[in-house]
Amino acid sequence: MFLTTRGLVLREAKYKESDKILTILTAEEGKITAKARGVARTRSKLSAATQLYGYSEFTLFGNRGMWTVNEAESIEAFRPLREDIKRLALAGYICELLEAVSDEDCPEPEMLQLGLNSLYALANKLATRDVVKAVFELRLMCIAGYRPELEACAACGREDMDEGVLVPEHGELYCGECRRGGGLKVDRAVLSAMRYIINAEPKKIFAFELDGAAEERLASVCEAYALFELDRPFRSLDYYKNLRETEDDAI
């Protein structure tokens, strides 16, 4: 059978001399694994459209549970990412997270849209790396079923607070007066940004402003929350953090 679909290439693995095995996230079919024959050759007509982190239209042939790329046409390659090693590394983390939470044979339109919006914002510098990373992590957790309850304190119902604590185990928020144990500390600016992120329209998720220090705090909380819920390490995140440390040392 043949399938024509649009998808984002999340991962590639070399196979034989010139083939690749691609992991592609699609809206209709979810995560797909497909063989791309000859794409490692210089003159391959499919090489541009099967690049890692690229969004393309694919014509796939399915046989015995395995898909093969017959045709492919690039829609968006996010080329500016390849001019900045740190943004490219962050794109790798975004795609590794998408692969971790997406499913095969399950439509993932929201997840794909979030991934594309995040890569576009990252490539075109519509937001800082910290903001893109934080927005992606928190919004992805919402789509994956781990939406935190940030509207009010889970104990007293207080909505307006200067500081609070988000408890990842339950996804609940507590004001400073009600929480006595550990958790992720959030201040007014960070909480306001998180509330915006989980409720904003998909195309407006990056349309908020924070100062540099608040951006770092937001990034720290969203990362910690995502890693707790997924309960696994990500090599791409470690690589990105190493690059960031090098950047900080240079400053």
Side-chain angles (χ1 to χ4, degrees):
M1 63 173 291
F2 285 93
L3 171 68
T4 298
T5 186
R6 294 183 173 189
L8 174 65
V9 179
L10 303 180
R11 183 163 63 94
E12 63 179 16
K14 291 184 179 180
Y15 180 72
K16 294 185 177 179
E17 184 176 346
S18 59
D19 300 349
K20 290 183 180 180
I21 303 297
L22 306 178
T23 301
I24 305 169
L25 181 63
T26 71
E28 302 87 357
E29 306 294 329
K31 187 167 53 181
I32 287 177
T33 300
K35 181 190 296 183
R37 293 174 175 167
V39 294
R41 298 191 185 113
T42 306
R43 297 183 180 182
S44 172
K45 295 181 180 179
L46 299 177
S47 59
T50 55
Q51 285 189 82
L52 193 60
Y53 316 145
Y55 181 56
S56 302
E57 181 169 275
F58 297 93
T59 298
L60 307 172
F61 176 71
N63 183 34
R64 297 180 181 179
M66 181 66 186
W67 294 103
T68 301
V69 179
N70 267 29
E71 299 178 8
E73 182 176 352
S74 178
I75 299 172
E76 176 58 67
F78 304 109
R79 296 189 185 281
L81 290 175
R82 291 159 176 80
E83 300 170 2
D84 185 327
I85 185 62
K86 298 179 187 67
R87 290 181 182 268
L88 184 62
L90 184 50
Y93 173 56
I94 287 172
C95 287
E96 189 178 2
L97 272 178
L98 286 171
E99 183 181 5
V101 302
S102 57
D103 294 315
E104 296 181 0
D105 301 320
C106 179
E108 301 284 12
E110 286 185 273
M111 209 170 286
L112 176 60
Q113 183 180 34
L114 174 63
L116 294 175
N117 288 346
S118 299
L119 291 176
Y120 184 84
L122 186 62
N124 293 280
K125 299 183 178 180
L126 301 184
T128 65
R129 297 196 309 267
D130 276 344
V131 167
V132 172
K133 177 175 170 293
V135 169
F136 174 77
E137 288 168 330
L138 182 55
R139 189 74 171 219
L140 183 64
M141 291 303 96
C142 294
I143 295 172
Y146 303 108
R147 178 187 173 114
E149 299 298 327
L150 302 177
E151 288 74 17
C153 174
C156 70
R158 181 177 179 181
E159 298 179 7
D160 184 59
M161 59 186 80
D162 290 326
E163 60 180 23
V165 177
L166 172 61
V167 183
E169 291 91 335
H170 313 291
E172 294 177 337
L173 174 71
Y174 293 86
C175 68
E177 296 179 1
C178 292
R179 183 62 180 175
R180 295 293 180 266
L184 304 174
K185 294 182 179 180
V186 294
D187 53 61
R188 179 180 292 274
V190 170
L191 180 56
S192 177
M194 294 178 73
R195 285 171 171 171
Y196 176 85
I197 292 166
I198 65 176
N199 292 305
E201 295 179 12
K203 292 185 178 180
K204 296 181 178 180
I205 53 176
F206 300 102
F208 64 92
E209 294 184 2
L210 289 174
D211 61 38
E215 286 184 1
E216 291 183 6
R217 297 195 301 273
L218 173 68
S220 177
V221 170
C222 292
E223 177 186 306
Y225 185 74
L227 293 182
F228 178 89
E229 298 300 343
L230 298 179
D231 191 26
R232 53 157 287 186
F234 292 89
R235 289 189 300 174
S236 55
L237 177 60
D238 294 336
Y239 177 59
Y240 173 67
K241 284 185 171 182
N242 287 335
L243 290 176
R244 284 212 56 172
E245 289 176 3
T246 303
E247 178 183 51
D248 293 340
D249 291 341
I251 295 174

